[in-house]
Amino acid sequence: MSYPLTEEQQLIQQNAKEFSLEYVEPVAAEIDHTEKHPAEIVSKMVEQDFLGIFIPGEFGGAEAGYLSYILIIEELARVSGAVASVLVNHASLAAYSINRWGTTEQKEIYLTALCQGQKLGAFALNEPGAAPGAGEHKVVAVKDGDHYVLNGRKSYVANGGAAGVYIVFAQTNPEAGAKGISAFIVDGQAEGLSVARTISKMGLRGCQSAELVFDNVKVSAANLLGAEGAGLAIAAEALAAASIAEGAMVVGIAQAAMEDAVKYGKQRIQFRRPIASFPAIQTMLAEMAANIHMLRLAVYDAASLLENGEPFTAEAAMIKLFAARIGQSALIDVIQIEGGYGYSQEMVASRLYRDVKGAIIKNSSVDFPEKIIAGDLLA
Ligand SMILES: Cc1cc2nc3c(=O)[nH]c(=O)nc-3n(C[C@H](O)[C@H](O)[C@H](O)COP(=O)(O)OP(=O)(O)OC[C@H]3O[C@@H](n4cnc5c(N)ncnc54)[C@H](O)[C@@H]3O)c2cc1C
């Protein structure tokens, strides 16, 4: 492809590819099978500076830009959607939010710890039975002098239990609905914070999802992220940044699946010919290649916009919309091309199918992507 990557970006991409093949691919199936948080891989990613790759150097990051980070996510997702997902939740949601809205003190304490790998980050927005967009948050934060007291439950928190820093969204003014939601930086060791259960998933297994309980958790007022009531705006932008990374996950997963289907199609003989010679198979592969190529360009473009401080939320919503369509159809076609073998657990396609579905659903924006794109058009 001809996207103009700098020499540094190409080096980072090559390094991420080698890292993924050497350390992640050999354990990817095991991570999926055991559903265990990949702590050893995370430690190795710390050594590579992946955890703070786009964060400024003064807070322990590598300052290499959002596109470099996206290139890493794509390479990781080619071999393990779960490992890519661990990094996306840490970097695009937790680290991004503190870097974007944190005070200098918050950045010195929490962002530095996230970049240097002392703590993993997570983002706790979703709640059992509450829709984030409608302001129905049931985790409530009540101000008491110089701190807030948090009570309630968060569900489906990726990296939950493994994380040392949570960005938690809580209702500080229930009468104000969505405008009464605020964001807090909460230490994973805070008294009263516990993991009620982990949620066994169909895909992205190993990127641990947990239900968290907040039982009178005291959070210093200094840990309020942004202004009181700014929570939903913070969540919307962080989720948009994450949509770009999730688009990169879909690119990586679909690319790996397509390459597997090409290999299989050349080897599988039916009617004395490799099945890849049949026009019906070639049409599926060609559509897949075109769609992956276009999604990749859109992902790199949106990452460049974010990196350059340009508006990027409409482009991120376009990625969410397009990735959902092409990611799923690519994996269905790959399994079709690989026939009965593709449907078996012996081939990688079934794991990639389960992972791509997770990459599409996870961290849906507070609004539907169509609404965001139309809002931008009609503004
Ligand atoms: C792998 C994975 C990782 C995740 N990680 C996190 C995380 O780290 N932190 C976190 O907070 N959450 C996380 N989540 C939760 C995720 O953000 C939610 O699952 C997602 O936002 C969808 O919300 P929901 O499950 O409540 O579905 P719902 O909002 O209940 O939607 C269910 C269905 O109803 C449809 N629907 C909803 N509203 C409307 C409407 N107004 N009109 C028409 N149709 C509608 C939806 O499109 C969908 O098909 C994760 C989820 C997954 C799968």
Side-chain angles (χ1 to χ4, degrees):
M1 81 175 296
S2 63
Y3 197 89
L5 298 177
T6 63
E7 207 172 309
E8 188 196 16
Q9 287 162 345
Q10 288 176 43
L11 281 173
I12 288 172
Q13 185 181 40
Q14 184 58 32
N15 177 52
K17 187 189 281 288
E18 287 165 13
F19 176 89
S20 301
L21 292 176
E22 185 172 352
Y23 297 111
V24 187
E25 192 177 44
V27 291
E30 189 192 332
I31 292 171
D32 177 61
H33 183 65
T34 60
E35 229 176 330
K36 218 172 129 236
H37 169 70
E40 277 177 33
I41 300 282
V42 173
S43 303
K44 286 198 175 2
M45 292 201 292
V46 173
E47 289 165 19
Q48 300 291 320
D49 284 337
F50 288 179
L51 270 71
I53 191 78
F54 61 84
I55 303 294
E58 59 179 312
F59 301 114
E63 214 164 326
Y66 208 75
L67 179 51
S68 294
Y69 157 70
I70 285 300
L71 297 171
I72 293 171
I73 295 296
E74 182 184 336
E75 292 304 327
L76 290 172
R78 280 172 84 143
V79 298
S80 169
V83 171
S85 181
V86 168
L87 186 54
V88 169
N89 291 287
H90 166 90
S92 285
L93 291 168
Y96 179 90
S97 299
I98 299 176
N99 187 45
R100 177 80 168 80
W101 294 282
T103 60
T104 304
E105 196 192 352
Q106 288 170 346
K107 289 181 190 178
E108 278 167 356
I109 299 171
Y110 295 102
L111 194 53
T112 307
L114 289 178
C115 292
Q116 295 180 345
Q118 286 137 10
K119 292 180 185 220
L120 193 66
F123 193 81
L125 174 69
N126 197 270
E127 295 185 0
E136 292 167 8
H137 263 54
K138 291 179 189 129
V139 169
V140 173
V142 177
K143 189 131 193 236
D144 183 10
D146 62 354
H147 62 268
Y148 289 82
V149 180
L150 272 60
N151 276 293
R153 273 174 187 253
K154 289 286 177 187
S155 74
Y156 237 122
V157 179
N159 295 344
V165 174
Y166 293 93
I167 308 297
V168 179
F169 294 84
Q171 195 56 265
T172 42
N173 180 3
E175 286 83 54
K179 289 189 178 141
I181 296 170
S182 304
F184 295 90
I185 304 170
V186 179
D187 198 295
Q189 301 298 317
E191 203 176 319
L193 171 57
S194 60
V195 172
R197 66 182 182 115
T198 53
I199 300 165
S200 182
K201 302 190 299 296
M202 143 182 182
L204 302 180
R205 292 156 60 85
C207 178
Q208 186 172 289
S209 293
E211 188 168 320
L212 303 180
V213 179
F214 295 81
D215 181 12
N216 285 321
V217 176
K218 262 177 88 171
V219 178
S220 165
N223 281 19
L224 176 70
L225 187 62
E228 251 198 36
L232 213 61
I234 290 175
E237 187 180 317
L239 289 170
S243 292
I244 304 173
E246 283 145 10
M249 283 176 66
V250 172
V251 169
I253 296 169
Q255 177 77 33
M258 181 177 70
E259 287 171 7
D260 198 57
V262 166
K263 200 167 122 201
Y264 184 85
K266 285 179 173 171
Q267 287 167 356
R268 176 70 175 166
I269 307 292
Q270 286 290 32
F271 305 102
R272 281 178 283 156
R273 286 165 61 187
I275 59 164
S277 67
F278 299 133
I281 302 285
Q282 289 182 5
T283 301
M284 283 192 268
L285 289 172
E287 275 177 14
M288 211 179 285
N291 284 335
I292 295 169
H293 180 67
M294 287 187 279
L295 180 61
R296 182 180 282 117
L297 289 176
V299 166
Y300 290 7
D301 179 59
S304 301
L305 289 176
L306 186 159
E307 184 171 321
N308 295 327
E310 308 273 346
F312 65 91
T313 48
E315 287 75 7
M318 289 176 193
I319 288 169
K320 193 93 201 158
L321 191 64
F322 189 54
R325 289 184 188 156
I326 76 114
Q328 214 156 273
S329 72
L331 264 298
I332 287 171
D333 284 353
V334 165
I335 291 174
Q336 186 64 35
I337 291 168
E338 297 183 354
Y341 292 103
Y343 189 66
S344 79
Q345 295 279 19
E346 287 162 26
M347 301 282 280
V348 74
S350 68
R351 168 160 60 87
L352 298 177
Y353 177 78
R354 292 184 282 106
D355 284 353
V356 93
K357 188 71 193 168
I360 290 165
I361 297 182
K362 82 190 280 285
N363 301 320
S364 295
S365 50
V366 291
D367 271 323
F368 286 92
E370 292 90 334
K371 197 172 158 200
I372 297 171
I373 299 163
D376 186 64
L377 280 175
L378 301 170

